Amino acid sequence: VILVVGLNLINGFAGQFSLGHAGFMAVGAYVSAALTAFHGKAILATMAFLPAAVANGVLLNVALLLGGLAAAVVGLVVGLPTLRLRGDYLAIATLGFGEMVRIVILNLDVVGGATGFGGFPKLTTLFWALVWVWITVAVVKNLVLTVHGRALLAIREDEIAAESVGINTTFYKVAAFVVGAFFAGVAGGLFAHFLLYINP
């Protein structure tokens, strides 16, 4: 649900045909999993005074936020040049980005490379998954109901007309891309900490 609602902001509300969403999910999954695998025990040791469930929840949410932020930064870096494209060209560029992420992960031995990555704790619970579903739906719904959401809808319906009435189409398309990428990264982190093994 988190992944689809984030993608719906890009494809559905902003009208941008993006095929690179799996790349953002992978970035979020690997960053959050690397944090908990390499630094999880040290972070949990600093919260030894808390009950285990609370400490695990804090660790999970810190990892999810960092994974989401990493995906959002990558979304910004990818979105600035590619979102000047339209239609099929945008789809091809974002598909290429998703493939680039996979190739980079395949060559990163620090996170297992082609053999995959494991060794991080199972932190995802139904409670935290539902909390993040609620946050995602609430943020996207409230975004769409604002002036910014109306700008996204205007871009979706007719980008040239939206530009002609003063809407900064590049800004709004990149903003939608970054928000969608953030939630894809969070979804990737939840997915990784449920499966306990991820591979390219």
Side-chain angles (χ1 to χ4, degrees), residues 88-168:
D88 296 341
Y89 301 106
L90 175 62
I92 292 167
T94 55
L95 181 64
F97 155 73
E99 189 62 17
M100 283 177 10
V101 168
R102 188 181 72 81
I103 297 299
V104 167
I105 293 170
L106 275 172
N107 292 295
L108 280 179
D109 291 333
V110 71
V111 289
T115 60
F117 186 45
F120 43 91
K122 183 167 185 166
L123 299 173
T124 299
T125 62
L126 180 61
F127 172 75
W128 286 115
L130 291 175
V131 165
W132 276 101
V133 165
W134 183 84
I135 290 169
T136 306
V137 171
V139 167
V140 171
K141 180 184 177 209
N142 287 323
L143 176 65
V144 169
L145 294 177
T146 63
V147 174
H148 305 295
R150 299 287 180 229
L152 289 175
L153 295 176
I155 292 167
R156 179 189 72 192
E157 295 304 322
D158 191 337
E159 191 171 337
I160 295 170
E163 240 172 25
S164 70
V165 294
I167 294 173
N168 185 346

Side-chain angles (χ1 to χ4, degrees), residues 33-111:
L35 176 77
T36 57
F38 301 136
H39 305 292
K41 289 181 181 174
I43 294 171
L44 287 174
T46 63
M47 297 183 287
F49 60 92
L50 292 173
V54 175
N56 286 340
V58 170
L59 176 61
L60 174 67
N61 285 294
V62 167
L64 293 179
L65 288 172
L66 288 177
L69 287 173
V73 168
V74 171
L76 180 65
V77 169
V78 170
L80 284 173
T82 60
L83 287 173
R84 298 179 193 283
L85 303 171
R86 294 181 182 158
D88 296 341
Y89 301 106
L90 175 62
I92 292 167
T94 55
L95 181 64
F97 155 73
E99 189 62 17
M100 283 177 10
V101 168
R102 188 181 72 81
I103 297 299
V104 167
I105 293 170
L106 275 172
N107 292 295
L108 280 179
D109 291 333
V110 71
V111 289

